[in-house]
């Protein structure tokens, strides 16, 4: 695997020197979300993609099946409450992003 880009160097490292993968969730499973998910999956030592969310459950299920993501949700609030992620990634329309950031803060996502 290639060396992590400098922007990833801020993520926590376990005591044994190994990288601690961040529990990660994704909101938005359209074409941009697919690219985000593929990027997250390309760095399994940094990101553990545990769930995806989309208003279209079939689209979320298709992406999850293709990439081996264990859980899907149609509602971001419910997903964040159930999954308690370290990292929230979103690939959505601009007008819903602030609401997602607020949900992340509500659920203690860093």
């Amino acid at each position: 695997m290639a060396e992590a880009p400098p922007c990833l160097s801020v993520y926590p490292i376990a005591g044994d020197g190994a990288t601690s993968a961040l529990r990660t969730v994704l909101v938005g499973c359209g074409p941009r979300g697919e690219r985000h998910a593929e990027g997250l999956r390309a760095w399994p030592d940094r990101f553990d993609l545990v769930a995806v969310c989309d208003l279209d459950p079939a689209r979320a299920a298709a992406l999850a099946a293709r990439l081996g993501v264990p859980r899907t949700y149609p509602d971001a609030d419910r997903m964040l409450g159930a999954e308690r992620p370290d990292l929230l990634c979103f690939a959505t329309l601009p007008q819903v992003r602030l609401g997602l950031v607020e949900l992340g803060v509500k659920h203690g996502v860093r």
Side-chain angles (χ1 to χ4, degrees), residues 1 4-5 7-8 11 19-29 31-53 63 66-70 79 85-91:
M1 177 172 289
C7 63
L8 298 183
Y11 293 107
T19 303
S20 295
L22 296 172
R23 253 180 94 69
T24 304
V25 296
L26 170 70
V27 178
C29 296
R32 184 175 298 145
E34 286 184 43
R35 288 190 300 279
H36 280 41
E38 290 165 354
L40 293 165
R41 292 303 244 187
W43 294 94
D45 59 329
R46 296 282 180 173
F47 307 102
D48 180 15
L49 185 57
V50 297
V52 295
C53 176
L63 180 61
R66 186 168 71 77
L67 295 180
V69 178
M79 177 181 68
D86 299 310
L87 180 69
L88 166 61
C89 179
F90 48 86

